[in-house]
Amino acid sequence: MSQNDALNDDDLEKSGESLIDFIKSSKAESALQGAREKLQEFFVHHIKTKKTTTEILNSLVHAKEVVSQKLLHLEGQKTQMMQEIERMEQEVQRSLSKSHTLNSEQEFLQRELERLRDAEQEIQTLQQEVDEDTTEVIPSVIYVAQLYFKVTKIKLEVDTEPHILRGVSYGADVVTPINIDTSVRSSCDVSDELWSLVNTEW
C-alpha cells in the first residue's frame, strides 16, 4: 500500500466519524421522529375519514332505498287513486246515462198519458153522441123492425156473414127458412124472392 492510499483511508474514516457525530449532534433524528408521528397522525386521520366517508355513503344508500320505497308506495297509491277516480267517473257517467234514460222514459210516459187522456175524452164525447143517437134512433129502428115483421112475417138473423141473408118466413100457413147468398144474386132477385114469401092477402 502506498502512503497516499493510507492517507486517503484515514481521511475517509475521519470523515465518516465526523458525519456520524454531526448526525448525532444535529436534529435530524428528532425531525425524522416528528415526520413519523405526523405520518402516523395522517394515517389515523385517513382511516377516520375513510370510515366517516363509508358511513356517509352507507347512509346515502339507505336513504336512497327508503326514498325509493316511498316513491314506489306513492306510485302505488297514485295508481290506486287514479283507478278510483276512473271508477267514480264511470259511475257518474252511468248515473247520468240512467238519469237521461229515466227522463226520456218519463217524457214518453207523460206523452202517452196525455194521449190516453185525449183518447178518453174522445171516447167520452163519442159515447155521449152514441147515447144521444141511441136514444133517438133505437126506438125508431125497433118500431120499423116490428112494423116490417108484422107486414112481411119475415124474421132475419143479424149474426150472419155480410153476404148471407138468413132467417125464417112465417107467412101463409108454412114456415119457410131463408138462406140467400147475395154475392151471387142480384138485388132484384133477392127482393123478388123475399116478396114471394109475403102473404098478399089482406
Side-chain angles (χ1 to χ4, degrees):
M1 175 184 284
S2 65
Q3 187 176 0
N4 289 333
D5 292 336
L7 180 60
N8 289 334
D9 290 338
D10 292 339
D11 292 339
L12 182 60
E13 184 178 356
K14 289 179 180 179
S15 296
E17 291 176 353
S18 298
L19 182 59
I20 292 172
D21 292 338
F22 174 76
I23 292 173
K24 288 182 179 181
S25 62
S26 67
K27 297 181 179 180
E29 186 175 357
S30 61
L32 181 60
Q33 182 65 29
R36 289 177 178 174
E37 292 177 355
K38 288 183 179 181
L39 181 61
Q40 182 66 27
E41 291 177 359
F42 176 77
F43 180 75
V44 172
H45 180 70
H46 173 71
I47 294 299
K48 289 182 179 180
T49 302
K50 184 177 180 181
K51 181 179 180 182
T52 302
T53 303
T54 302
E55 291 176 353
I56 292 174
L57 289 175
N58 290 335
S59 298
L60 289 175
V61 171
H62 178 68
K64 184 178 179 181
E65 292 177 352
V66 172
V67 171
S68 298
Q69 291 295 329
K70 288 184 178 180
L71 287 176
L72 288 175
H73 181 66
L74 290 175
E75 189 67 25
Q77 287 184 335
K78 179 182 177 182
T79 301
Q80 184 176 0
M81 186 176 296
M82 292 298 294
Q83 292 176 349
E84 184 67 18
I85 291 175
E86 184 178 0
R87 186 188 66 79
M88 292 180 66
E89 288 178 348
Q90 292 176 353
E91 186 68 24
V92 169
Q93 188 64 31
R94 283 195 296 269
S95 298
L96 291 175
S97 178
K98 184 177 181 181
S99 176
H100 179 70
T101 302
L102 290 176
N103 289 335
S104 300
E105 291 179 354
Q106 184 178 4
E107 292 176 358
F108 172 76
L109 292 175
Q110 186 67 29
R111 290 194 298 269
E112 286 296 308
L113 180 60
E114 292 176 358
R115 187 182 65 81
L116 290 174
R117 286 175 177 173
D118 293 340
E120 182 182 8
Q121 184 64 35
E122 292 179 0
I123 291 174
Q124 289 179 353
T125 302
L126 291 174
Q127 183 67 39
Q128 184 177 358
E129 293 177 356
V130 168
D131 290 341
E132 293 175 357
D133 293 340
T134 300
T135 302
E136 297 176 359
V137 174
I138 287 181
S140 60
V141 171
I142 293 175
Y143 172 76
V144 171
Q146 290 177 348
L147 180 61
Y148 177 80
F149 176 72
K150 287 184 178 295
V151 173
T152 63
K153 302 298 182 182
I154 294 175
K155 184 176 182 181
L156 298 175
E157 297 180 8
V158 296
D159 57 348
T160 61
E161 295 83 350
H163 62 282
I164 299 299
L165 194 62
R166 183 181 298 117
V168 178
S169 173
Y170 296 95
D173 297 329
V174 180
V175 176
T176 304
I178 300 172
N179 191 1
I180 302 173
D181 187 352
T182 60
S183 63
V184 297
R185 298 178 63 179
S186 65
S187 299
C188 292
D189 290 341
V190 173
S191 179
D192 291 342
E193 183 173 347
L194 291 176
W195 277 112
S196 67
L197 299 174
V198 176
N199 185 9
T200 57
E201 296 180 2
W202 301 93

